[in-house]
Amino acid sequence: MSDPQTLPTWLDAGAATLAGAAPPAQTLAEALPGLTQAQSLTPAQRVQRVQESGLAECGRAGEPIYLAWRQLLRGRGPSVLVIDATDFDSRALGSAAVLESATWLLAEGLLIAASLRDSRKVELRLPAELTGREAVLLNTAEAIQRLKQASVPHIQLEVLRNSRPSCWGEGQAGDRSRLIHTPETWCRIALLFAGVPDLDASLLTLRGGTKQRGLVELARSGNLRRQIEAWGGDTGQGQDAMLVFDDGLGGFLPLSQSDLSCNPLSLASAGIIPAPSTLLVTADSATVVKQTRRALYRHWQLAEGEVAPVRGLLVRAARLVTELTLGRGEAGHLVALDEMALELAAQGLRLPGRWAAP
């Protein structure tokens, strides 16, 4: 496998149309080539194209996106397309980068899906830290209206500010009236229909413990350990470093156990989030325990409004990890934490699959 790119070409090149001030071409067909190709296909054929590509969601659950498309197609009545820009880790840079410099691709992905079920409304779920980032997308929408043809429907854009991610590993629950994707996923849909190859990847923010920092592209067909080493993440400190995904909400994995494929199923089998958005490499065990405590507290916050058993288990787990942090832990604490993790998983809540031991 070749060395991973710092940024995918489509995102890096997208900076040329920053602020959506000018379209990338003079005609709609040239500006939105993926949409032009999609318009020659029926809704069922578009779903088939997505299924054959193997394209998966670029956020949290990493599910094949054709499953959600097929569910939307089977429904009836008005439908809504959703851009979910929320992340477990607020320091993830992927959604911000797309909203700043790839809004033409984002809008194109939405337009490709709009005729699956005559969707005329788009919801942008924007977290507090991305307030104001919707401006570029709004500018792009206006530019598309100036170029549009009769075959391109007018779509209303509603911005839901101060949105938060769901505590559930599968992301915010949807129904047959909503099609929910991350900003990056919508872009990759546009690239797929435009015939761009090698889309089996996702954006990842390197937060520390590697020589390279910031936004990179994680190749899902690649080996996790080798990609981390390419980013300068082998500490060589004589002790096993720990990988922390999505600020702990995505799980923990010893670097020594990272010789595995980055496809969502392999990551999930290792007990970590199938489609991570951030990665921290650390050899400080005390830091890892603190990260676990913070992750549990964050899960408890995100579980507001969930059933009492779920919140109660999260409180108990956070209390045990706090005692470990304060040096009051015993072997029984780890056993209890493992049991709670299994119980929460049975409830459908995906917590860090590997608890941090001091």
Side-chain angles (χ1 to χ4, degrees):
M1 187 194 75
S2 60
D3 291 340
Q5 293 179 312
T6 300
L7 282 177
T9 304
W10 59 266
L11 184 59
D12 198 26
T17 57
L18 187 64
Q26 296 301 312
T27 67
L28 193 69
E30 294 172 336
L32 307 176
L35 175 63
T36 302
Q37 292 298 317
Q39 287 175 331
S40 65
L41 303 175
T42 66
Q45 288 173 331
R46 296 185 197 191
V47 175
Q48 183 180 9
R49 177 76 178 275
V50 169
Q51 181 176 0
E52 291 172 348
S53 73
L55 197 63
E57 181 66 49
C58 296
R60 292 191 282 277
E63 292 280 356
I65 68 172
Y66 84 88
L67 296 174
W69 281 45
R70 188 171 61 185
Q71 177 176 277
L72 184 79
L73 194 60
R74 289 174 173 174
R76 286 183 170 81
S79 62
V80 178
L81 306 179
V82 180
I83 310 167
D84 188 355
T86 64
D87 287 296
F88 279 152
D89 190 346
S90 61
R91 287 159 290 195
L93 302 175
S95 291
V98 170
L99 290 172
E100 285 178 354
S101 59
T103 51
W104 278 87
L105 279 175
L106 171 57
E108 185 174 18
L110 291 163
L111 289 170
I112 289 171
S115 58
L116 288 178
R117 205 172 112 191
D118 194 29
S119 302
R120 297 301 178 97
K121 180 179 178 181
V122 171
E123 287 181 0
L124 171 58
R125 294 177 179 172
L126 205 64
E129 57 270 14
L130 294 184
T131 297
R133 299 297 178 96
E134 73 277 13
V136 186
L137 182 59
L138 292 171
N139 290 341
T140 300
E142 291 179 1
I144 290 174
Q145 289 302 311
R146 292 194 293 269
L147 285 176
K148 78 171 188 174
Q149 300 168 341
S151 57
V152 177
H154 176 74
I155 298 178
Q156 175 191 358
L157 176 62
E158 179 181 2
V159 181
L160 304 181
R161 297 176 176 82
N162 299 317
S163 296
R164 299 193 305 175
S166 167
C167 63
W168 306 103
E170 287 69 26
Q172 298 202 23
D175 53 34
R176 290 192 177 184
S177 68
R178 276 176 163 72
L179 182 61
I180 307 173
H181 294 312
T182 66
E184 180 188 354
T185 302
W186 285 115
C187 289
R188 292 187 184 274
I189 289 167
L191 293 166
L192 168 66
F193 281 88
V196 176
D198 302 325
L199 296 176
D200 193 21
S202 60
L203 296 174
L204 180 71
T205 303
L206 303 178
R207 287 189 42 226
T210 52
K211 292 180 181 178
Q212 192 168 340
R213 298 286 293 274
L215 202 59
V216 297
E217 189 172 39
L218 179 71
R220 287 178 167 171
S221 60
N223 179 278
L224 179 59
R225 176 67 180 258
R226 286 200 290 270
Q227 292 189 78
I228 291 172
E229 290 175 350
W231 298 322
D234 195 345
T235 61
Q237 298 180 20
Q239 55 182 325
D240 195 12
M242 185 71 75
L243 309 180
V244 182
F245 296 93
D246 286 25
D247 202 26
L249 275 78
F252 304 85
L253 184 70
L255 182 61
S256 61
Q257 298 180 23
S258 63
D259 187 16
L260 49 85
S261 172
C262 293
N263 70 72
L265 285 177
S266 293
L267 296 182
S269 297
I272 55 180
I273 193 167
S277 63
T278 70
L279 170 65
L280 170 69
V281 183
T282 179
D284 186 346
S285 60
T287 297
V288 174
V289 176
K290 291 178 182 178
Q291 288 271 2
T292 304
R293 183 183 63 180
R294 281 173 38 190
L296 285 167
Y297 178 68
R298 174 72 168 150
H299 263 297
W300 179 79
Q301 287 181 313
L302 295 177
E304 181 181 359
E306 298 296 335
V307 294
V310 169
R311 288 177 62 81
L313 283 170
L314 288 168
V315 169
R316 288 170 54 200
R319 186 179 301 118
L320 289 174
V321 175
T322 299
E323 291 180 4
L324 288 169
T325 306
L326 297 174
R328 302 172 185 168
E330 301 174 353
H333 282 58
L334 297 178
V335 174
L337 283 170
D338 282 338
E339 292 175 351
M340 288 180 193
L342 291 173
E343 191 170 350
L344 285 165
Q347 298 269 1
L349 182 67
R350 182 179 295 279
L351 279 181
R354 297 182 183 270
W355 299 101

